[in-house]
Amino acid sequence: MRFRNFLARSMAGRYGTDQLNRALNFATLVFLVLSLFIGRSGVGSLIWLLALAGLVWGSFRTFSRNIPKRRRENEAYLGLTRNLRDRFRGARDRFRQRRDYRFFRCPSCRTWLRVPRGKGKLNITCRQCGERFTRST
Ligand SMILES: [Zn+2]
């Protein structure tokens, strides 16, 4: 309990963690594991330095008292990676629903379309551009 109070007191007014820090921690871990395999010479020492930089930057952001500035950095990070994160989320959602649905891309506008699985040949109309095509489900 005393230790928890100490932790809570020392984190008061500090920024804590966010999505950018989670990405930094993940990158740090990846670099550390890589450098374990490659060793500390040549490219390995560069990767080890990157791991160290990730650790230092992440810790700096966690304990920073300049909360507005850290928030802006996180917003910028989220803005820059929005497309990537959307694509990843889409792939994850399609994977989770794969037993009940089939997913096709519209041949005309490349939008993902979801149709129920096991309905035989279906005429699909794109909800985005109105293109019609046939697929077997
Ligand atoms: Zn379309």
Side-chain angles (χ1 to χ4, degrees), residues 106 108-111 126 128-131:
C106 169
S108 158
C109 72
R110 310 293 293 151
T111 302
C126 176
Q128 216 44 253
C129 68
E131 171 87 3

Side-chain angles (χ1 to χ4, degrees), residues 31-44:
F31 288 139
L32 269 179
V33 170
L34 274 178
S35 76
L36 278 180
F37 282 102
I38 300 175
R40 299 262 180 92
S41 58
V43 183

